[in-house]
Amino acid sequence: MVSRIIKIILVAIGAVACISGGVLYAMFPKIIKAKIEEQLILANGTTTYENWKNIPIPMYVRFYIFNVTNPSDFMNNNAKPIVEEVGPYTFKINRKKEVIGRNEERDTVQYNEVNTYIFQPEISAGTQDEMVYVVNAPLQGIAKIATKNIPPLIRPFFMPLLSSLLIHYKEYVIVKRKIRQLLFDGYEVRLLKDLNKSASRFVKIPPLLPNNTFGLFYGKNATSGGTFTVFTGKSNSSRFTLIDTWNNKRFLPYWSSKYCNMINGTDGGQFPPHTTKEEILYVFSTDLCRSLNFEYEKEVNIKGIKTNRFTIPAQFYAAPVANPDNQCFCSNNQSCLNGGVIELTTCKRGAPVVASAPHFYQASKQYLQNVIGLKPDKTLHQTFLDVEPMTGLVLNARKRIQLNIDVKRTPELESLQSINDVLIPLAWLSEVSQFSLPASIIIIFKQS
């Protein structure tokens, strides 16, 4: 994509320079702009379109798991959890867009992007068969739904039954699992089968897990994250690759207001050309069920190419008391979480999943103080995009997200009687992508 654009630009500049000399030098930026806009179109037969469908940028995702090193003390003595980060477990991501339709009137193209994850043992810290002690996410989900949904008249009968089932199936707050079980392979939560049978006498339990199986990315390998419709840029280059709809909807169904349900921006790999430092860039994340906003931080050179680094501001994670715009992201308006985290319960089947930056970077000190072993570091844990302003191409990016489980003490359940309320990190991931440019193209970028 870039090579074709730059070659055309170079030819145009050379021709104009030979004919007009220095008189028309001031016209070069306009010529460059026009040539870029001609090429940045998602149209059949263009290099841009082919590279957009079959993405040439290598991408990897690194998973880090939080191993709980004091499971007994935490479960039985009200101790703070002590965690040790293990990893990374690295996967290469092969991405391909499957185009399923076009709308010429709206200048849009519709597609599914299929991501395939391939384990890379040579650049991983260990094997996927290693065992770790982690917070029991399914247990917390069951307890949360039972506490919230079971009517008061039924609770005295149902909760003892649930408590005995948890003990029978050895579903404790901390469990020992293989890395592969926590990531893509998943593991069966056998308790759910008996729970559904037993609970049917009292109340209908909503489906908690697909196939009664839990894994952070279970069922997501070689699958699509939904159907996207984006603008081609043909009639308006400023809308190039911006999302029009997701799953044929212009608004999400998860949050309590139209504002929070807005779908803004691109998928994060490309932005419209001629981005400026003053702009706010938006990226829609299906993992976080919302759009992220990025603001300019500083200039960064990538092999001599000037790019603008955009990062997620602290206000994005702020609690509603500090940023009222975030009020509609609370599932319970009376007890919103503190700043630095994103509650995902409403879009994760009621599961008590909370997202944050790794090691609670930019989060409330409360979360950091309640867990021993975390060390937030901007260099290691910040999410950023390095955008080449002329083309809007992301030449370097790090997407870093931590998934935490909101653990609550539940006196009615023996497995949850001797713990404190705490937000325990389960894992964090870093998606890494960096555009590999030939030396000849780098030289041209430097001169533009």
Side-chain angles (χ1 to χ4, degrees):
M1 174 178 70
V2 174
S3 60
R4 182 173 176 81
I5 295 170
I6 299 302
K7 286 177 183 178
I8 293 175
I9 292 171
L10 186 60
V11 171
I13 291 175
V16 173
C18 292
I19 295 171
S20 59
V23 178
L24 297 180
Y25 183 79
M27 293 180 61
F28 289 176
K30 293 182 179 180
I31 295 171
I32 293 173
K33 181 177 180 180
K35 290 300 178 183
I36 288 175
E37 291 178 1
E38 282 181 14
Q39 289 299 309
L40 291 183
I41 298 174
L42 300 180
N44 287 319
T46 65
T47 305
T48 298
Y49 182 61
E50 292 306 315
N51 285 334
W52 173 80
K53 285 196 304 180
N54 301 291
I55 303 167
I57 305 174
M59 178 177 279
Y60 295 85
V61 59
R62 299 167 182 157
F63 292 98
Y64 300 85
I65 308 299
F66 288 102
N67 180 44
V68 179
T69 61
N70 66 332
S72 181
D73 272 353
F74 171 67
M75 290 190 292
N76 301 309
N77 301 321
N78 293 325
K80 290 183 179 181
I82 302 174
V83 298
E84 176 189 35
E85 178 185 290
V86 295
Y89 303 92
T90 304
F91 291 75
K92 184 177 181 181
I93 309 175
N94 290 336
R95 298 178 294 165
K96 184 176 181 179
K97 292 183 174 68
E98 298 177 346
V99 176
I100 57 178
R102 283 181 173 274
N103 186 322
E104 299 298 338
E105 287 187 10
R106 290 188 57 80
D107 289 331
T108 60
V109 58
Q110 191 173 59
Y111 67 91
N112 293 316
E113 181 172 300
V114 177
N115 294 330
T116 303
Y117 298 83
I118 305 168
F119 184 59
Q120 308 290 298
E122 67 280 3
I123 52 176
S124 296
T127 72
Q128 292 191 78
D129 290 316
E130 292 176 354
M131 304 288 288
V132 288
Y133 289 95
V134 294
V135 59
N136 188 343
L139 167 61
Q140 298 304 319
I142 293 167
K144 182 180 180 68
I145 290 175
T147 302
K148 182 179 179 181
N149 295 342
I150 301 300
L153 291 176
I154 298 177
R155 289 174 70 92
F157 305 99
F158 179 78
M159 297 304 275
L161 170 63
L162 175 58
S163 185
S164 63
L165 282 173
L166 292 174
I167 294 171
H168 174 74
Y169 283 103
K170 298 181 180 180
E171 291 289 348
Y172 304 119
V173 182
I174 303 297
V175 291
K176 191 176 183 180
R177 296 287 183 262
K178 291 182 179 181
I179 298 297
R180 66 171 65 254
Q181 291 177 314
L182 296 171
L183 297 179
F184 292 95
D185 288 8
Y187 62 91
E188 184 183 17
V189 182
R190 295 184 299 118
L191 158 71
L192 289 177
K193 290 182 179 179
D194 273 358
L195 179 60
N196 286 327
K197 293 178 183 177
S198 302
S200 62
R201 292 179 293 166
F202 305 105
V203 66
K204 183 177 181 180
I205 298 292
L208 301 178
L209 297 170
N211 301 319
N212 292 333
T213 301
F214 174 78
L216 289 174
F217 281 75
Y218 173 72
K220 292 187 177 181
N221 204 349
T223 60
S224 168
T227 300
F228 288 82
T229 303
V230 302
F231 292 99
T232 67
K234 182 179 179 180
S235 60
N236 186 345
S237 64
S238 67
R239 304 179 80 180
F240 176 64
T241 69
L242 292 180
I243 297 170
D244 183 28
T245 65
W246 178 64
N247 288 338
N248 298 312
K249 294 182 176 65
R250 290 194 170 84
F251 292 92
L252 300 171
Y254 307 123
W255 312 110
S256 62
S257 79
K258 193 172 183 179
Y259 170 80
C260 284
N261 281 317
M262 292 175 66
I263 300 173
N264 297 322
T266 73
D267 65 2
Q270 171 77 55
F271 294 93
H274 319 301
T275 62
T276 66
K277 298 176 181 179
E278 293 71 33
E279 288 183 66
I280 296 177
L281 302 183
Y282 291 92
V283 174
F284 175 58
S285 169
T286 56
D287 294 329
L288 298 181
C289 311
R290 63 181 291 187
S291 294
L292 317 179
N293 56 282
F294 289 77
E295 295 180 2
Y296 171 78
E297 182 183 88
K298 62 181 180 180
E299 285 189 1
V300 175
N301 280 322
I302 299 178
K303 296 183 179 180
I305 301 172
K306 291 182 180 179
T307 67
N308 294 327
R309 174 160 292 181
F310 288 82
T311 60
I312 299 176
Q315 277 291 93
F316 174 81
Y317 290 109
V321 65
N323 181 7
D325 287 342
N326 282 341
Q327 183 68 50
C328 50
F329 288 112
C330 293
S331 64
N332 184 342
N333 290 330
Q334 277 69 49
S335 59
C336 295
L337 296 174
N338 289 332
V341 300
I342 305 170
E343 187 179 2
L344 301 180
T345 301
T346 57
C347 71
K348 300 297 181 183
R349 300 190 182 198
V353 180
V354 177
S356 69
H359 287 246
F360 293 126
Y361 169 69
Q362 290 184 312
S364 168
K365 289 183 179 180
Q366 168 199 343
Y367 301 126
L368 191 61
Q369 292 169 349
N370 287 343
V371 180
I372 299 173
L374 300 178
K375 297 177 181 179
D377 184 316
K378 178 179 178 179
T379 302
L380 298 175
H381 304 140
Q382 182 187 52
T383 290
F384 66 82
L385 306 169
D386 291 338
V387 183
E388 197 288 311
M390 183 173 63
T391 61
L393 189 66
V394 178
L395 297 187
N396 186 29
R398 299 292 184 276
K399 172 187 172 184
R400 290 155 170 165
I401 299 173
Q402 179 170 296
L403 297 176
N404 313 280
I405 304 301
D406 192 9
V407 175
K408 298 291 186 184
R409 181 174 179 271
T410 310
E412 297 163 292
L413 301 177
E414 186 175 337
S415 297
L416 298 173
Q417 287 177 349
S418 303
I419 60 171
N420 293 316
D421 292 356
V422 62
L423 202 59
I424 301 184
L426 174 56
W428 73 273
L429 62 91
S430 176
E431 284 188 4
V432 181
S433 60
Q434 188 163 4
F435 210 115
S436 299
L437 297 174
S440 58
I441 299 305
I442 292 174
I443 292 173
I444 298 171
F445 259 119
K446 289 179 182 179
Q447 295 173 345
S448 61

